[in-house]
Amino acid sequence: MTLAGHVPVLLDEVLRYLEPAPRGRYLDATVGGGGHARAILAAAGEDAFLVGLDRDPEARRRAERALQGAGGRVRILAGRYEELDAILEAAGLGDTRFDGILFDLGVSSFQVDEARRGFTYQDPSAPLDMRMDPSQPTTAADLVNGLSLHDLARVFKEYGEERWAARIARFVVERRRRRPLATAGDLVEVVKAAVPAAARREAGHPARRVFQALRIAVNGELERLDGALRAAVRRLRPGGRLVVISFHSLEDRIVKETFRELALGCICPPELPVCSCGRNPEVRLLTRTPVVPAAEERERNPRARSARLRAAARVLGPQEAE
Ligand SMILES: C[S@@+](CC[C@H](N)C(=O)[O-])C[C@H]1O[C@@H](n2cnc3c(N)ncnc32)[C@H](O)[C@@H]1O
């Protein structure tokens, strides 16, 4: 493990929207290194309860350590947030309603900085792995060496918004005929050969979008995010807060659309505990446009640069309001 840390993104803003309070119950659906969770517990005080979920066993071990002595009661649970209901049920928390739920999407610096996890294009010898949960069967190498030309191009285009998707896919297929791609260096080499020199000189690493695309495909990151957000809302007590931080436009689009559908065009001010505009939505939006990090945070933490936070509060449903 490296010594580099993961700096929680938009921390002040997360606390502002979650409003941790004494005896509050919180769910961190992506507990990672426990940075946000620690701050939530510190703000809520000794009597708070926090459930931290992560699909990565190394993240769970880190979170356990980070949250020891953080105050409050903590349960760290294994699994994917897409299975939230079943996980809480199995942990005996099926009836728990939370005051706040946080999703800090994507990968942590711990995962990216650990070359053997295969998320990075910076280390040429890193394996093409990219699984957040190493017990999952499919690695990035399996996709790169196994997907059809058409599917590879689709993954690069859809999940990486890569302009040269078709060309890169063609180069990958040609290269793997000779020898399967095994390392980050193999893939970077192919991307560099496929992308025309002028485009390669544009901002950022030429393989960044291809790596993002593969990571999303390996981990099925966008597949059931909307369902997970809806399930999370049902786990909130009326008035409870849902805060979501996303790191690229594909994720943010899903968060935005889901929030919009759950809010059903409600136009009540955020402070109202019950909807009075007659639309009876499930949530009230607390952020009409995404909150982005201040210049100082973007400067201090490059990972924060693409972060966007959206928050909503659960509204009392018609039956609950009676
Ligand atoms: C950005 S990090 C969270 C960092 C954390 N907020 C902190 O302050 O340390 C995202 C974490 O979510 C986990 N994760 C990603 N997708 C997940 C999913 N579908 N279910 C559960 N955990 C997931 C990753 O393994 C990673 O540890």
Side-chain angles (χ1 to χ4, degrees), residues 256-309:
K256 179 176 151 187
E257 290 296 310
T258 310
F259 272 29
R260 214 180 47 199
E261 284 166 26
L262 288 165
L264 280 175
C266 172
I267 48 167
C268 299
E271 317 73 73
L272 276 192
V274 183
C275 168
S276 63
C277 71
R279 290 174 166 90
N280 290 324
E282 285 186 69
V283 300
R284 171 116 10 89
L285 301 184
L286 303 177
T287 50
R288 298 265 164 208
T289 53
V291 175
V292 296
E296 182 276 323
E297 180 174 2
R298 290 206 304 273
E299 190 61 38
R300 176 168 48 82
N301 182 9
R303 225 190 120 255
R305 284 182 194 151
S306 53
R308 280 173 239 181
L309 178 151

Side-chain angles (χ1 to χ4, degrees), residues 188-218:
V188 167
E189 202 181 284
V190 174
V191 173
K192 282 187 174 163
V195 175
R200 244 185 290 142
R201 283 192 291 273
E202 284 167 15
H205 193 285
R208 187 180 60 80
R209 284 181 294 274
V210 164
F211 272 68
Q212 171 186 300
L214 284 171
R215 196 199 86 200
I216 292 173
V218 166

Side-chain angles (χ1 to χ4, degrees), residues 30 33-36 54-55 79-82 104 106 111 132 303:
T30 53
H36 284 110
D54 208 292
R55 68 197 290 193
R80 301 183 59 145
Y81 51 62
E82 293 87 340
D104 176 19
Q111 291 165 323
M132 291 186 199
R303 225 190 120 255

Side-chain angles (χ1 to χ4, degrees), residues 18 39 44 48 67 83 130 161 229 246 291 301:
L18 278 184
L67 299 177
E83 268 112 48
M130 304 196 194
E161 298 179 293
L229 297 177
S246 61
V291 175
N301 182 9

